[in-house]
Amino acid sequence: MSASATGDIASYEPTLRGTEQRAAYTLTSEASGRDAVRLDRGEYVELTLAEDANAITVRYSIPDAPSGGGITSRLDVTVNGKHREVLPLTSQYSWLYADYPFSNDPAADWLHPDWWRPPLETPAKPLRPSHAYAEQRLLLDRRHRAGDVLRLTVPRDAAAAWTVVDLVDHELVDRPARKPRGAVSITRFGADPGGARDSTAAFDAAIAHAKAREGSGDAVVWIPEGTFRVTRHVVVDDVAVVGAGSWHSIVTGPVTPRSEPAPDGSRNDSVGFYGRYAEDGGSADVRLADFAIVGEVSERVDTDQVNAIGGALSNSVIEGLYIQRTKVGIWMDGPGHDLVVRNTMVVDQMAYGLNIRRGWTGVHATNNVFRNTGDDAMAMWSHYVSGDEAREVDKDVGNVFDHNTIQTPVLANGIAVYGGRDNTVADNLVADPVREGSALHAGYRHGSTDFAGYLAFERNTTVRAGTRELNWDIGVGAIWFYALEGHMDADFRVTDSDFLDVSYNAIQVVSDWSVKDVYGVEHVTVRDVRVDGAGTNVLNARAFGSMTVKNLDARNVGHPFVNNCGSFGFPPTGPELDIVLGEGNDGGWYAAGTWCDDRPTPVDPPAPTAWSMP
């Protein structure tokens, strides 16, 4: 990008570098790559199209209204100085304040005034402003060629005093797909493609008609080109719901108050496609494909089921969707089995991107993009609720998250696994986590089951991970293992992975102070790993247990020793995490031996460079 004005957001806040640039509650920390362009009224930013394109997605931030609730503004879009179009912007679904589960009011006081906070944290309002960014899509008037110049201009009369442009995706969108043969269109039952009338009942009627006409396994419901307003969950079971493409078939709708709370405590409903809940038998043989679900959720209420996709969907496929502005993109309450989630984009969520909760087997989530989630972007949560002593019914077992791209989870982790057995996280890219989590995580916490069998982290890449944990005032590993509610004793594997430009330490095991002498982390194997840049250490241990490290190459490490405080018992036998350094470790990252430094000062590493091949 190039801009007519200074091309960073230093004009909005002080110039930031290194770990300061990644400090939570700043526009830089939530920007992809920790950098963006601030535009004042009358200024513009340009980029050259690398490929032919007829559509753009702009990730941006504009101010909140003084009393909360957001404002609207706009950008003018031109190509080669012509073809002007208007891109509408809003901060209505951005900006949260104070502490969990957050407030929409910039003047809000602490929701939990008794919680500990870092002593240097400013008490000035707004308290802890976060979730600053949103994105907007725009279909252009025609196909533009590679080499054409795209310009985004803030009009001189724009409502927003400043507009921060973080990134621009451009793509070549296909024409709307045709209706599949035999499919039942929702417009046949009165659905309004203009979005003025409520189309919820039309979805219900089309689904019922298709199932009655076609029989089990063959029912297909068609969402044609248009924008359809839906005000509550559409229940799906043994049916395919397909659209003309996620740019063309859009299902949207407001948060709708319920006349009385649902049995699960929900006081509100919203647009979404839900299988039956597992306790009601679940749903199966569902396909949701090739349309967009765009909600209007502006706050996080954990008792509300205002997710884009929910319930329990077994033997099912979710693919080709664009999901925006719901509480959770995909929340699956199990037990359930054999679910595929692929080629889907989940953005601007108040909480999780994808969470498979309790007793899921055979889930495969692949080739998805998650951006700007308000909790873990992807999670396997083996929530222990059955009371079964063996806990097997609650374990997520044999699931795979692979080849996903995750950007800027504002809270918590890129990918998190809470308990379970024989699960795999492989070939993912996770960049720029912001606070209270990091890129990759395994935790015995949140009421999870234990870990059993193996948990494999394979061929993953993290970029600018390893955040500062504000509640502990320490750095967290780019990948971290946390024993909070039980001892972690399974086959934990971290193999053939790259940790780039880590803010603090690359690999960490930790336990809470209150249980540090009870719970630790055993049997972590680290092999064939590369670390290029770490603000503090490669390995950081704040729990007892065991780890084996082989073929770990590291460079540009802030403190060249293994930071092994264990559980701070300091027995005469040595550090409490038993670290076995096997063959092939290189880079001098352990040259100073083993030490315990409770809070080492991070050293900003240089930018990563290509590894030379032997």
Side-chain angles (χ1 to χ4, degrees):
M1 290 185 179
S2 60
S4 64
T6 302
D8 58 38
I9 41 183
S11 57
Y12 177 71
E13 49 194 9
T15 300
L16 303 174
R17 294 290 182 266
T19 52
E20 289 185 350
Q21 193 175 22
R22 306 172 194 191
Y25 314 119
T26 63
L27 283 170
T28 49
S29 70
E30 293 189 19
S32 55
R34 316 290 185 174
D35 199 8
V37 175
R38 170 185 161 136
L39 303 174
D40 294 324
R41 295 183 180 105
E43 296 182 333
Y44 64 86
V45 62
E46 290 182 340
L47 61 88
T48 301
L49 298 179
E51 298 175 342
D52 288 4
N54 62 359
I56 61 171
T57 299
V58 179
R59 186 169 190 256
Y60 66 91
S61 180
I62 59 175
D64 197 358
S67 58
I71 63 171
T72 59
S73 192
R74 71 186 195 275
L75 285 170
D76 288 339
V77 180
T78 58
V79 180
N80 295 335
K82 300 179 292 183
H83 313 292
R84 179 181 176 275
E85 298 188 54
V86 175
L87 182 74
L89 309 179
T90 182
S91 54
Q92 183 178 354
Y93 310 103
S94 306
W95 295 111
L96 298 175
Y97 306 96
D99 40 22
Y100 178 88
F102 316 113
S103 170
N104 299 103
D105 182 2
D109 294 315
W110 296 117
L111 300 178
H112 305 279
D114 57 327
W115 283 6
W116 181 90
R117 306 177 206 288
L120 297 180
E121 184 168 359
T122 174
K125 293 181 180 180
L127 301 171
R128 294 184 173 180
S130 69
H131 219 278
Y133 288 86
E135 61 184 61
Q136 181 65 49
R137 304 191 301 172
L138 178 67
L139 273 172
L140 303 175
D141 65 331
R142 68 193 68 192
R143 177 173 180 161
H144 297 282
R145 300 298 180 182
D148 286 350
V149 177
L150 178 76
R151 176 181 288 190
L152 306 178
T153 303
V154 180
R156 295 189 181 279
D157 62 348
W162 50 262
T163 301
V164 170
V165 177
D166 176 42
L167 63 80
V168 180
D169 291 335
H170 57 80
E171 60 184 290
L172 190 61
V173 175
D174 291 335
R175 295 178 62 84
R178 294 183 177 180
K179 174 185 169 184
R181 184 176 182 180
V184 176
S185 176
I186 59 172
T187 56
R188 176 178 173 181
F189 297 90
D192 176 15
R197 298 192 310 273
D198 189 341
S199 296
T200 311
F203 273 89
D204 293 340
I207 290 170
H209 181 82
K211 292 175 68 173
R213 188 183 74 177
E214 301 296 338
S216 178
D218 298 316
V220 179
V221 169
W222 171 244
I223 308 175
E225 186 177 9
T227 298
F228 300 90
R229 184 171 181 265
V230 169
T231 55
R232 58 166 169 78
H233 302 155
V234 175
V235 178
V236 288
D237 182 28
D238 194 20
V239 65
V241 180
V242 299
S246 69
W247 283 84
H248 305 295
S249 300
I250 301 167
V251 185
T252 187
V255 174
T256 307
R258 291 176 173 268
S259 57
E260 58 183 40
D264 62 8
S266 296
R267 294 184 175 274
N268 295 290
D269 212 333
S270 71
V271 58
F273 292 81
Y274 271 57
R276 293 183 299 170
Y277 289 106
E279 54 266 32
D280 297 324
S283 290
D285 301 312
V286 172
R287 180 171 178 249
L288 303 174
D290 303 323
F291 60 94
I293 304 172
V294 180
E296 298 181 7
V297 177
S298 60
E299 61 181 336
R300 177 170 178 166
V301 180
D302 283 347
T303 54
D304 277 352
Q305 283 277 356
V306 287
N307 309 321
I309 301 174
L313 299 175
S314 295
N315 287 320
S316 296
V317 176
I318 299 167
E319 60 184 341
L321 301 188
Y322 178 84
I323 299 173
Q324 184 185 30
R325 296 198 312 232
T326 55
K327 188 181 78 172
V328 176
I330 303 168
W331 178 284
M332 292 285 102
D333 280 309
H337 60 91
D338 299 299
L339 170 68
V340 175
V341 181
R342 62 191 174 204
N343 305 324
T344 286
M345 191 161 191
V346 181
V347 302
D348 296 345
Q349 298 297 301
M350 283 292 147
Y352 301 87
L354 164 66
N355 193 320
I356 55 172
R357 172 189 170 267
R358 188 193 177 213
W360 283 91
T361 61
V363 174
H364 186 196
T366 183
N367 201 38
N368 304 291
V369 175
F370 298 87
R371 186 159 61 207
N372 194 34
T373 57
D375 214 305
D376 298 322
M378 304 183 75
M380 303 182 196
W381 181 23
S382 298
H383 192 192
Y384 177 45
V385 294
S386 67
D388 170 39
E389 187 174 351
R391 306 188 177 205
E392 287 302 305
V393 70
D394 299 305
K395 282 188 172 75
D396 291 332
V397 178
N399 305 297
V400 178
F401 290 173
D402 70 70
H403 295 91
N404 301 287
T405 299
I406 295 168
Q407 293 177 274
T408 56
V410 176
L411 177 72
N413 304 280
I415 302 177
V417 182
Y418 305 109
R421 173 163 51 87
D422 299 342
N423 294 303
T424 300
V425 176
D427 299 290
N428 301 286
L429 171 63
V430 184
D432 302 316
V434 177
R435 74 185 194 279
E436 297 178 49
S438 195
L440 303 172
H441 177 52
Y444 198 152
R445 54 191 299 216
H446 300 316
S448 77
T449 72
D450 59 320
F451 286 91
Y454 67 82
L455 173 58
F457 292 94
E458 302 172 344
R459 299 178 304 280
N460 297 292
T461 298
T462 75
V463 185
R464 293 175 297 274
T467 67
R468 175 173 170 257
E469 180 24 85
L470 300 175
N471 298 307
W472 292 334
D473 196 22
I474 65 170
V476 172
I479 182 171
W480 62 301
F481 299 81
Y482 183 23
L484 175 63
E485 297 171 1
H487 191 62
M488 295 173 63
D489 188 0
D491 179 7
F492 299 107
R493 310 169 188 172
V494 182
T495 59
D496 195 15
S497 296
D498 293 89
F499 302 103
L500 309 179
D501 198 2
V502 181
S503 302
Y504 288 87
N505 42 82
I507 302 166
Q508 182 185 55
V509 296
V510 62
S511 181
D512 195 78
W513 184 265
S514 62
V515 294
K516 65 183 178 61
D517 298 321
V518 182
Y519 304 141
V521 183
E522 306 277 1
H523 305 124
V524 179
T525 299
V526 179
R527 187 181 70 249
D528 302 328
V529 164
R530 293 152 298 281
V531 177
D532 192 350
T536 55
N537 312 99
V538 171
L539 303 181
N540 178 266
R542 302 174 72 92
F544 67 87
S546 62
M547 179 185 294
T548 300
V549 183
K550 299 179 181 180
N551 296 325
L552 192 158
D553 292 344
R555 61 189 181 195
N556 303 318
V557 176
H559 299 271
F561 57 81
V562 175
N563 196 356
N564 191 349
C565 296
S567 58
F568 296 90
F570 306 115
T573 53
E576 294 170 287
L577 187 79
D578 180 18
I579 300 176
V580 177
L581 296 179
E583 71 279 359
N585 297 307
D586 196 13
W589 52 272
Y590 52 89
T594 298
W595 198 256
C596 175
D597 190 340
D598 191 22
R599 289 176 174 82
T601 302
V603 177
D604 296 334
T609 57
W611 290 90
S612 58
M613 302 301 293

